[in-house]
PDB file of all heavy atoms in Angstrom:
ATOM      1  N   ALA A  17      58.323  95.568  84.277  1.00 91.00           N
ATOM      2  CA  ALA A  17      58.306  94.247  84.923  1.00 91.00           C
ATOM      3  C   ALA A  17      58.112  93.141  83.899  1.00 91.00           C
ATOM      4  O   ALA A  17      58.787  92.099  83.944  1.00 91.00           O
ATOM      5  CB  ALA A  17      57.196  94.193  85.976  1.00 91.00           C
ATOM      6  N   GLU A  18      57.210  93.341  82.947  1.00 93.00           N
ATOM      7  CA  GLU A  18      56.961  92.322  81.933  1.00 93.00           C
ATOM      8  C   GLU A  18      58.136  92.201  80.967  1.00 93.00           C
ATOM      9  O   GLU A  18      58.469  91.102  80.509  1.00 93.00           O
ATOM     10  CB  GLU A  18      55.674  92.648  81.170  1.00 93.00           C
ATOM     11  CG  GLU A  18      55.347  91.702  80.021  1.00 93.00           C
ATOM     12  CD  GLU A  18      55.200  90.231  80.423  1.00 93.00           C
ATOM     13  OE1 GLU A  18      55.147  89.913  81.634  1.00 93.00           O
ATOM     14  OE2 GLU A  18      55.125  89.384  79.501  1.00 93.00           O
ATOM     15  N   PHE A  19      58.793  93.311  80.673  1.00 93.00           N
ATOM     16  CA  PHE A  19      59.979  93.264  79.810  1.00 93.00           C
ATOM     17  C   PHE A  19      61.084  92.463  80.493  1.00 93.00           C
ATOM     18  O   PHE A  19      61.761  91.636  79.857  1.00 93.00           O
ATOM     19  CB  PHE A  19      60.454  94.692  79.511  1.00 93.00           C
ATOM     20  CG  PHE A  19      61.522  94.773  78.464  1.00 93.00           C
ATOM     21  CD1 PHE A  19      61.234  94.541  77.124  1.00 93.00           C
ATOM     22  CD2 PHE A  19      62.831  95.095  78.800  1.00 93.00           C
ATOM     23  CE1 PHE A  19      62.212  94.622  76.145  1.00 93.00           C
ATOM     24  CE2 PHE A  19      63.827  95.175  77.834  1.00 93.00           C
ATOM     25  CZ  PHE A  19      63.519  94.940  76.503  1.00 93.00           C
ATOM     26  N   ASN A  20      61.271  92.681  81.806  1.00 89.00           N
ATOM     27  CA  ASN A  20      62.252  91.889  82.561  1.00 89.00           C
ATOM     28  C   ASN A  20      61.891  90.408  82.552  1.00 89.00           C
ATOM     29  O   ASN A  20      62.751  89.543  82.402  1.00 89.00           O
ATOM     30  CB  ASN A  20      62.345  92.402  84.007  1.00 89.00           C
ATOM     31  CG  ASN A  20      63.304  93.561  84.162  1.00 89.00           C
ATOM     32  OD1 ASN A  20      64.356  93.590  83.532  1.00 89.00           O
ATOM     33  ND2 ASN A  20      62.944  94.534  84.982  1.00 89.00           N
ATOM     34  N   ARG A  21      60.603  90.101  82.733  1.00 86.00           N
ATOM     35  CA  ARG A  21      60.172  88.692  82.743  1.00 86.00           C
ATOM     36  C   ARG A  21      60.389  88.057  81.378  1.00 86.00           C
ATOM     37  O   ARG A  21      60.868  86.927  81.264  1.00 86.00           O
ATOM     38  CB  ARG A  21      58.692  88.580  83.142  1.00 86.00           C
ATOM     39  CG  ARG A  21      58.236  87.129  83.346  1.00 86.00           C
ATOM     40  CD  ARG A  21      56.753  86.964  83.118  1.00 86.00           C
ATOM     41  NE  ARG A  21      56.386  87.226  81.733  1.00 86.00           N
ATOM     42  CZ  ARG A  21      56.543  86.375  80.738  1.00 86.00           C
ATOM     43  NH1 ARG A  21      57.093  85.181  80.948  1.00 86.00           N
ATOM     44  NH2 ARG A  21      56.172  86.688  79.505  1.00 86.00           N
ATOM     45  N   LYS A  22      60.058  88.800  80.336  1.00 86.00           N
ATOM     46  CA  LYS A  22      60.147  88.279  78.969  1.00 86.00           C
ATOM     47  C   LYS A  22      61.589  87.923  78.599  1.00 86.00           C
ATOM     48  O   LYS A  22      61.844  86.910  77.952  1.00 86.00           O
ATOM     49  CB  LYS A  22      59.592  89.329  77.996  1.00 86.00           C
ATOM     50  CG  LYS A  22      59.404  88.859  76.564  1.00 86.00           C
ATOM     51  CD  LYS A  22      58.757  89.969  75.744  1.00 86.00           C
ATOM     52  CE  LYS A  22      58.581  89.573  74.290  1.00 86.00           C
ATOM     53  NZ  LYS A  22      57.605  88.498  74.108  1.00 86.00           N
ATOM     54  N   TYR A  23      62.529  88.749  79.055  1.00 83.00           N
ATOM     55  CA  TYR A  23      63.924  88.537  78.667  1.00 83.00           C
ATOM     56  C   TYR A  23      64.802  88.019  79.801  1.00 83.00           C
ATOM     57  O   TYR A  23      65.975  87.725  79.577  1.00 83.00           O
ATOM     58  CB  TYR A  23      64.515  89.839  78.110  1.00 83.00           C
ATOM     59  CG  TYR A  23      63.938  90.189  76.756  1.00 83.00           C
ATOM     60  CD1 TYR A  23      62.913  91.128  76.638  1.00 83.00           C
ATOM     61  CD2 TYR A  23      64.386  89.558  75.604  1.00 83.00           C
ATOM     62  CE1 TYR A  23      62.362  91.446  75.402  1.00 83.00           C
ATOM     63  CE2 TYR A  23      63.847  89.868  74.364  1.00 83.00           C
ATOM     64  CZ  TYR A  23      62.831  90.806  74.267  1.00 83.00           C
ATOM     65  OH  TYR A  23      62.287  91.098  73.039  1.00 83.00           O
ATOM     66  N   GLY A  24      64.232  87.899  81.022  1.00 78.00           N
ATOM     67  CA  GLY A  24      65.046  87.427  82.139  1.00 78.00           C
ATOM     68  C   GLY A  24      64.383  86.406  83.033  1.00 78.00           C
ATOM     69  O   GLY A  24      64.963  85.977  84.028  1.00 78.00           O
ATOM     70  N   GLY A  25      63.137  86.007  82.718  1.00 72.00           N
ATOM     71  CA  GLY A  25      62.437  85.031  83.545  1.00 72.00           C
ATOM     72  C   GLY A  25      61.688  85.692  84.691  1.00 72.00           C
ATOM     73  O   GLY A  25      61.700  86.913  84.860  1.00 72.00           O
ATOM     74  N   HIS A  26      61.015  84.857  85.530  1.00 63.00           N
ATOM     75  CA  HIS A  26      60.124  85.373  86.580  1.00 63.00           C
ATOM     76  C   HIS A  26      60.846  86.231  87.611  1.00 63.00           C
ATOM     77  O   HIS A  26      60.257  87.159  88.165  1.00 63.00           O
ATOM     78  CB  HIS A  26      59.407  84.221  87.279  1.00 63.00           C
ATOM     79  CG  HIS A  26      58.247  83.684  86.495  1.00 63.00           C
ATOM     80  ND1 HIS A  26      57.076  84.385  86.347  1.00 63.00           N
ATOM     81  CD2 HIS A  26      58.087  82.522  85.807  1.00 63.00           C
ATOM     82  CE1 HIS A  26      56.239  83.678  85.604  1.00 63.00           C
ATOM     83  NE2 HIS A  26      56.836  82.545  85.262  1.00 63.00           N
ATOM     84  N   ILE A  27      62.103  85.929  87.925  1.00 61.00           N
ATOM     85  CA  ILE A  27      62.809  86.734  88.922  1.00 61.00           C
ATOM     86  C   ILE A  27      64.131  87.273  88.372  1.00 61.00           C
ATOM     87  O   ILE A  27      64.978  87.739  89.120  1.00 61.00           O
ATOM     88  CB  ILE A  27      63.070  85.931  90.226  1.00 61.00           C
ATOM     89  CG1 ILE A  27      63.835  84.634  89.936  1.00 61.00           C
ATOM     90  CG2 ILE A  27      61.771  85.634  90.940  1.00 61.00           C
ATOM     91  CD1 ILE A  27      64.224  83.863  91.187  1.00 61.00           C
ATOM     92  N   GLY A  28      64.273  87.233  87.046  1.00 69.00           N
ATOM     93  CA  GLY A  28      65.497  87.728  86.427  1.00 69.00           C
ATOM     94  C   GLY A  28      65.303  89.107  85.813  1.00 69.00           C
ATOM     95  O   GLY A  28      64.298  89.779  86.034  1.00 69.00           O
ATOM     96  N   PHE A  29      66.283  89.515  85.019  1.00 79.00           N
ATOM     97  CA  PHE A  29      66.278  90.854  84.441  1.00 79.00           C
ATOM     98  C   PHE A  29      66.675  90.814  82.973  1.00 79.00           C
ATOM     99  O   PHE A  29      67.483  89.984  82.554  1.00 79.00           O
ATOM    100  CB  PHE A  29      67.279  91.754  85.184  1.00 79.00           C
ATOM    101  CG  PHE A  29      66.901  92.034  86.604  1.00 79.00           C
ATOM    102  CD1 PHE A  29      67.276  91.161  87.612  1.00 79.00           C
ATOM    103  CD2 PHE A  29      66.161  93.154  86.935  1.00 79.00           C
ATOM    104  CE1 PHE A  29      66.926  91.407  88.927  1.00 79.00           C
ATOM    105  CE2 PHE A  29      65.804  93.416  88.245  1.00 79.00           C
ATOM    106  CZ  PHE A  29      66.185  92.541  89.245  1.00 79.00           C
ATOM    107  N   ALA A  30      66.102  91.727  82.214  1.00 82.00           N
ATOM    108  CA  ALA A  30      66.545  91.919  80.836  1.00 82.00           C
ATOM    109  C   ALA A  30      67.967  92.479  80.870  1.00 82.00           C
ATOM    110  O   ALA A  30      68.346  93.192  81.797  1.00 82.00           O
ATOM    111  CB  ALA A  30      65.613  92.890  80.114  1.00 82.00           C
ATOM    112  N   SER A  31      68.751  92.159  79.861  1.00 84.00           N
ATOM    113  CA  SER A  31      70.135  92.635  79.811  1.00 84.00           C
ATOM    114  C   SER A  31      70.178  94.095  79.360  1.00 84.00           C
ATOM    115  O   SER A  31      69.208  94.643  78.821  1.00 84.00           O
ATOM    116  CB  SER A  31      70.947  91.779  78.835  1.00 84.00           C
ATOM    117  OG  SER A  31      70.507  92.027  77.502  1.00 84.00           O
ATOM    118  N   HIS A  32      71.330  94.710  79.578  1.00 83.00           N
ATOM    119  CA  HIS A  32      71.531  96.093  79.140  1.00 83.00           C
ATOM    120  C   HIS A  32      71.333  96.206  77.628  1.00 83.00           C
ATOM    121  O   HIS A  32      70.771  97.193  77.130  1.00 83.00           O
ATOM    122  CB  HIS A  32      72.948  96.543  79.531  1.00 83.00           C
ATOM    123  CG  HIS A  32      73.230  97.987  79.241  1.00 83.00           C
ATOM    124  ND1 HIS A  32      72.733  99.014  80.016  1.00 83.00           N
ATOM    125  CD2 HIS A  32      73.953  98.580  78.245  1.00 83.00           C
ATOM    126  CE1 HIS A  32      73.141 100.172  79.521  1.00 83.00           C
ATOM    127  NE2 HIS A  32      73.874  99.937  78.452  1.00 83.00           N
ATOM    128  N   ALA A  33      71.767  95.191  76.906  1.00 86.00           N
ATOM    129  CA  ALA A  33      71.632  95.204  75.441  1.00 86.00           C
ATOM    130  C   ALA A  33      70.173  95.211  75.019  1.00 86.00           C
ATOM    131  O   ALA A  33      69.803  95.845  74.023  1.00 86.00           O
ATOM    132  CB  ALA A  33      72.349  93.990  74.846  1.00 86.00           C
ATOM    133  N   HIS A  34      69.317  94.514  75.780  1.00 88.00           N
ATOM    134  CA  HIS A  34      67.892  94.497  75.454  1.00 88.00           C
ATOM    135  C   HIS A  34      67.256  95.872  75.684  1.00 88.00           C
ATOM    136  O   HIS A  34      66.427  96.326  74.890  1.00 88.00           O
ATOM    137  CB  HIS A  34      67.167  93.445  76.300  1.00 88.00           C
ATOM    138  CG  HIS A  34      67.447  92.039  75.889  1.00 88.00           C
ATOM    139  ND1 HIS A  34      67.814  91.056  76.781  1.00 88.00           N
ATOM    140  CD2 HIS A  34      67.428  91.444  74.673  1.00 88.00           C
ATOM    141  CE1 HIS A  34      67.990  89.918  76.140  1.00 88.00           C
ATOM    142  NE2 HIS A  34      67.774  90.123  74.852  1.00 88.00           N
ATOM    143  N   TRP A  35      67.638  96.521  76.798  1.00 92.00           N
ATOM    144  CA  TRP A  35      67.062  97.834  77.101  1.00 92.00           C
ATOM    145  C   TRP A  35      67.525  98.875  76.078  1.00 92.00           C
ATOM    146  O   TRP A  35      66.743  99.759  75.686  1.00 92.00           O
ATOM    147  CB  TRP A  35      67.482  98.294  78.503  1.00 92.00           C
ATOM    148  CG  TRP A  35      66.813  97.545  79.619  1.00 92.00           C
ATOM    149  CD1 TRP A  35      67.363  96.574  80.399  1.00 92.00           C
ATOM    150  CD2 TRP A  35      65.465  97.698  80.075  1.00 92.00           C
ATOM    151  NE1 TRP A  35      66.439  96.113  81.320  1.00 92.00           N
ATOM    152  CE2 TRP A  35      65.267  96.787  81.149  1.00 92.00           C
ATOM    153  CE3 TRP A  35      64.413  98.518  79.692  1.00 92.00           C
ATOM    154  CZ2 TRP A  35      64.065  96.680  81.833  1.00 92.00           C
ATOM    155  CZ3 TRP A  35      63.203  98.420  80.374  1.00 92.00           C
ATOM    156  CH2 TRP A  35      63.037  97.507  81.433  1.00 92.00           C
ATOM    157  N   LYS A  36      68.766  98.782  75.654  1.00 89.00           N
ATOM    158  CA  LYS A  36      69.317  99.787  74.752  1.00 89.00           C
ATOM    159  C   LYS A  36      69.115  99.446  73.278  1.00 89.00           C
ATOM    160  O   LYS A  36      69.322 100.290  72.396  1.00 89.00           O
ATOM    161  CB  LYS A  36      70.824  99.954  75.015  1.00 89.00           C
ATOM    162  CG  LYS A  36      71.141 100.666  76.326  1.00 89.00           C
ATOM    163  CD  LYS A  36      70.659 102.112  76.298  1.00 89.00           C
ATOM    164  CE  LYS A  36      71.162 102.917  77.486  1.00 89.00           C
ATOM    165  NZ  LYS A  36      70.684 104.322  77.449  1.00 89.00           N
ATOM    166  N   GLY A  37      68.709  98.202  73.002  1.00 90.00           N
ATOM    167  CA  GLY A  37      68.530  97.771  71.621  1.00 90.00           C
ATOM    168  C   GLY A  37      67.138  98.072  71.099  1.00 90.00           C
ATOM    169  O   GLY A  37      66.371  98.848  71.673  1.00 90.00           O
ATOM    170  N   LYS A  38      66.769  97.400  70.012  1.00 93.00           N
ATOM    171  CA  LYS A  38      65.476  97.649  69.377  1.00 93.00           C
ATOM    172  C   LYS A  38      64.323  96.972  70.126  1.00 93.00           C
ATOM    173  O   LYS A  38      63.152  97.309  69.908  1.00 93.00           O
ATOM    174  CB  LYS A  38      65.506  97.144  67.937  1.00 93.00           C
ATOM    175  CG  LYS A  38      65.724  95.629  67.805  1.00 93.00           C
ATOM    176  CD  LYS A  38      65.753  95.193  66.358  1.00 93.00           C
ATOM    177  CE  LYS A  38      65.931  93.673  66.256  1.00 93.00           C
ATOM    178  NZ  LYS A  38      65.981  93.196  64.863  1.00 93.00           N
ATOM    179  N   GLU A  39      64.659  96.010  71.024  1.00 93.00           N
ATOM    180  CA  GLU A  39      63.611  95.231  71.701  1.00 93.00           C
ATOM    181  C   GLU A  39      62.703  96.114  72.566  1.00 93.00           C
ATOM    182  O   GLU A  39      61.479  95.951  72.557  1.00 93.00           O
ATOM    183  CB  GLU A  39      64.226  94.132  72.580  1.00 93.00           C
ATOM    184  CG  GLU A  39      64.910  93.008  71.819  1.00 93.00           C
ATOM    185  CD  GLU A  39      66.378  93.278  71.584  1.00 93.00           C
ATOM    186  OE1 GLU A  39      66.819  94.433  71.798  1.00 93.00           O
ATOM    187  OE2 GLU A  39      67.093  92.344  71.173  1.00 93.00           O
ATOM    188  N   TRP A  40      63.293  97.041  73.325  1.00 95.00           N
ATOM    189  CA  TRP A  40      62.494  97.847  74.265  1.00 95.00           C
ATOM    190  C   TRP A  40      61.514  98.784  73.545  1.00 95.00           C
ATOM    191  O   TRP A  40      60.317  98.769  73.854  1.00 95.00           O
ATOM    192  CB  TRP A  40      63.421  98.612  75.212  1.00 95.00           C
ATOM    193  CG  TRP A  40      62.736  99.636  76.059  1.00 95.00           C
ATOM    194  CD1 TRP A  40      62.935 100.986  76.054  1.00 95.00           C
ATOM    195  CD2 TRP A  40      61.732  99.408  77.064  1.00 95.00           C
ATOM    196  NE1 TRP A  40      62.134 101.598  76.974  1.00 95.00           N
ATOM    197  CE2 TRP A  40      61.380 100.664  77.607  1.00 95.00           C
ATOM    198  CE3 TRP A  40      61.092  98.260  77.538  1.00 95.00           C
ATOM    199  CZ2 TRP A  40      60.414 100.808  78.613  1.00 95.00           C
ATOM    200  CZ3 TRP A  40      60.135  98.390  78.546  1.00 95.00           C
ATOM    201  CH2 TRP A  40      59.800  99.656  79.068  1.00 95.00           C
ATOM    202  N   PRO A  41      61.942  99.608  72.555  1.00 95.00           N
ATOM    203  CA  PRO A  41      60.972 100.467  71.862  1.00 95.00           C
ATOM    204  C   PRO A  41      59.865  99.665  71.172  1.00 95.00           C
ATOM    205  O   PRO A  41      58.692 100.065  71.178  1.00 95.00           O
ATOM    206  CB  PRO A  41      61.817 101.228  70.835  1.00 95.00           C
ATOM    207  CG  PRO A  41      63.219 101.036  71.224  1.00 95.00           C
ATOM    208  CD  PRO A  41      63.309  99.839  72.101  1.00 95.00           C
ATOM    209  N   GLU A  42      60.237  98.524  70.608  1.00 96.00           N
ATOM    210  CA  GLU A  42      59.246  97.678  69.934  1.00 96.00           C
ATOM    211  C   GLU A  42      58.247  97.119  70.948  1.00 96.00           C
ATOM    212  O   GLU A  42      57.044  97.056  70.684  1.00 96.00           O
ATOM    213  CB  GLU A  42      59.971  96.529  69.211  1.00 96.00           C
ATOM    214  CG  GLU A  42      59.098  95.725  68.257  1.00 96.00           C
ATOM    215  CD  GLU A  42      58.663  96.514  67.036  1.00 96.00           C
ATOM    216  OE1 GLU A  42      59.328  97.499  66.679  1.00 96.00           O
ATOM    217  OE2 GLU A  42      57.627  96.145  66.451  1.00 96.00           O
ATOM    218  N   PHE A  43      58.753  96.727  72.100  1.00 96.00           N
ATOM    219  CA  PHE A  43      57.905  96.192  73.169  1.00 96.00           C
ATOM    220  C   PHE A  43      56.908  97.253  73.640  1.00 96.00           C
ATOM    221  O   PHE A  43      55.709  96.981  73.768  1.00 96.00           O
ATOM    222  CB  PHE A  43      58.789  95.728  74.331  1.00 96.00           C
ATOM    223  CG  PHE A  43      58.030  95.217  75.523  1.00 96.00           C
ATOM    224  CD1 PHE A  43      57.600  93.901  75.586  1.00 96.00           C
ATOM    225  CD2 PHE A  43      57.745  96.061  76.589  1.00 96.00           C
ATOM    226  CE1 PHE A  43      56.893  93.433  76.682  1.00 96.00           C
ATOM    227  CE2 PHE A  43      57.040  95.607  77.682  1.00 96.00           C
ATOM    228  CZ  PHE A  43      56.615  94.289  77.734  1.00 96.00           C
ATOM    229  N   VAL A  44      57.372  98.458  73.924  1.00 96.00           N
ATOM    230  CA  VAL A  44      56.483  99.532  74.392  1.00 96.00           C
ATOM    231  C   VAL A  44      55.423  99.853  73.340  1.00 96.00           C
ATOM    232  O   VAL A  44      54.239 100.037  73.663  1.00 96.00           O
ATOM    233  CB  VAL A  44      57.301 100.794  74.743  1.00 96.00           C
ATOM    234  CG1 VAL A  44      56.376 101.976  75.054  1.00 96.00           C
ATOM    235  CG2 VAL A  44      58.208 100.517  75.929  1.00 96.00           C
ATOM    236  N   LYS A  45      55.836  99.894  72.087  1.00 96.00           N
ATOM    237  CA  LYS A  45      54.907 100.192  70.993  1.00 96.00           C
ATOM    238  C   LYS A  45      53.759  99.182  70.937  1.00 96.00           C
ATOM    239  O   LYS A  45      52.595  99.550  70.704  1.00 96.00           O
ATOM    240  CB  LYS A  45      55.679 100.192  69.667  1.00 96.00           C
ATOM    241  CG  LYS A  45      54.820 100.422  68.442  1.00 96.00           C
ATOM    242  CD  LYS A  45      55.653 100.314  67.168  1.00 96.00           C
ATOM    243  CE  LYS A  45      54.788 100.395  65.920  1.00 96.00           C
ATOM    244  NZ  LYS A  45      55.596 100.222  64.684  1.00 96.00           N
ATOM    245  N   ASN A  46      54.071  97.896  71.162  1.00 95.00           N
ATOM    246  CA  ASN A  46      53.060  96.843  71.060  1.00 95.00           C
ATOM    247  C   ASN A  46      52.273  96.625  72.354  1.00 95.00           C
ATOM    248  O   ASN A  46      51.074  96.321  72.317  1.00 95.00           O
ATOM    249  CB  ASN A  46      53.723  95.521  70.657  1.00 95.00           C
ATOM    250  CG  ASN A  46      54.268  95.566  69.244  1.00 95.00           C
ATOM    251  OD1 ASN A  46      53.708  96.219  68.380  1.00 95.00           O
ATOM    252  ND2 ASN A  46      55.380  94.885  69.010  1.00 95.00           N
ATOM    253  N   TYR A  47      52.939  96.765  73.507  1.00 96.00           N
ATOM    254  CA  TYR A  47      52.312  96.395  74.771  1.00 96.00           C
ATOM    255  C   TYR A  47      51.571  97.546  75.456  1.00 96.00           C
ATOM    256  O   TYR A  47      50.599  97.319  76.174  1.00 96.00           O
ATOM    257  CB  TYR A  47      53.365  95.818  75.732  1.00 96.00           C
ATOM    258  CG  TYR A  47      53.611  94.346  75.555  1.00 96.00           C
ATOM    259  CD1 TYR A  47      54.213  93.852  74.398  1.00 96.00           C
ATOM    260  CD2 TYR A  47      53.256  93.431  76.538  1.00 96.00           C
ATOM    261  CE1 TYR A  47      54.451  92.499  74.225  1.00 96.00           C
ATOM    262  CE2 TYR A  47      53.488  92.072  76.384  1.00 96.00           C
ATOM    263  CZ  TYR A  47      54.086  91.618  75.222  1.00 96.00           C
ATOM    264  OH  TYR A  47      54.316  90.269  75.055  1.00 96.00           O
ATOM    265  N   ALA A  48      52.043  98.790  75.293  1.00 96.00           N
ATOM    266  CA  ALA A  48      51.394  99.915  75.976  1.00 96.00           C
ATOM    267  C   ALA A  48      49.917 100.061  75.591  1.00 96.00           C
ATOM    268  O   ALA A  48      49.062 100.243  76.472  1.00 96.00           O
ATOM    269  CB  ALA A  48      52.165 101.205  75.714  1.00 96.00           C
ATOM    270  N   PRO A  49      49.546  99.952  74.292  1.00 97.00           N
ATOM    271  CA  PRO A  49      48.116 100.036  73.949  1.00 97.00           C
ATOM    272  C   PRO A  49      47.313  98.886  74.553  1.00 97.00           C
ATOM    273  O   PRO A  49      46.124  99.055  74.876  1.00 97.00           O
ATOM    274  CB  PRO A  49      48.116  99.960  72.411  1.00 97.00           C
ATOM    275  CG  PRO A  49      49.491 100.367  72.010  1.00 97.00           C
ATOM    276  CD  PRO A  49      50.390  99.874  73.095  1.00 97.00           C
ATOM    277  N   TRP A  50      47.949  97.737  74.714  1.00 96.00           N
ATOM    278  CA  TRP A  50      47.265  96.588  75.308  1.00 96.00           C
ATOM    279  C   TRP A  50      46.922  96.864  76.772  1.00 96.00           C
ATOM    280  O   TRP A  50      45.894  96.429  77.274  1.00 96.00           O
ATOM    281  CB  TRP A  50      48.144  95.332  75.164  1.00 96.00           C
ATOM    282  CG  TRP A  50      47.535  94.075  75.721  1.00 96.00           C
ATOM    283  CD1 TRP A  50      46.213  93.843  75.988  1.00 96.00           C
ATOM    284  CD2 TRP A  50      48.226  92.872  76.064  1.00 96.00           C
ATOM    285  NE1 TRP A  50      46.039  92.568  76.486  1.00 96.00           N
ATOM    286  CE2 TRP A  50      47.263  91.952  76.543  1.00 96.00           C
ATOM    287  CE3 TRP A  50      49.556  92.476  76.007  1.00 96.00           C
ATOM    288  CZ2 TRP A  50      47.594  90.672  76.972  1.00 96.00           C
ATOM    289  CZ3 TRP A  50      49.886  91.192  76.427  1.00 96.00           C
ATOM    290  CH2 TRP A  50      48.921  90.301  76.903  1.00 96.00           C
TER     291      TRP A  50
END
C-alpha cells in the first residue's frame, strides 16, 4: 500500500516498471525493518 502511495499517490498505483525495477527490492529492504 505504501509503495503504491509513494509512486502513485493516495488512490493511485505504482507502475509495472516500478514493481519490476530496482525500486521495489530497495523499498522492501529499507521499509520492512521499520
Side-chain angles (χ1 to χ4, degrees):
E18 176 58 11
F19 189 72
N20 275 322
R21 187 206 65 79
K22 189 176 178 67
Y23 289 99
H26 281 288
I27 56 175
F29 293 87
S31 69
H32 185 76
H34 287 131
W35 288 104
K36 288 295 190 180
K38 63 180 182 181
E39 292 91 348
W40 170 243
E42 191 68 23
F43 177 85
V44 173
K45 177 184 174 183
N46 292 327
Y47 274 68
W50 181 19

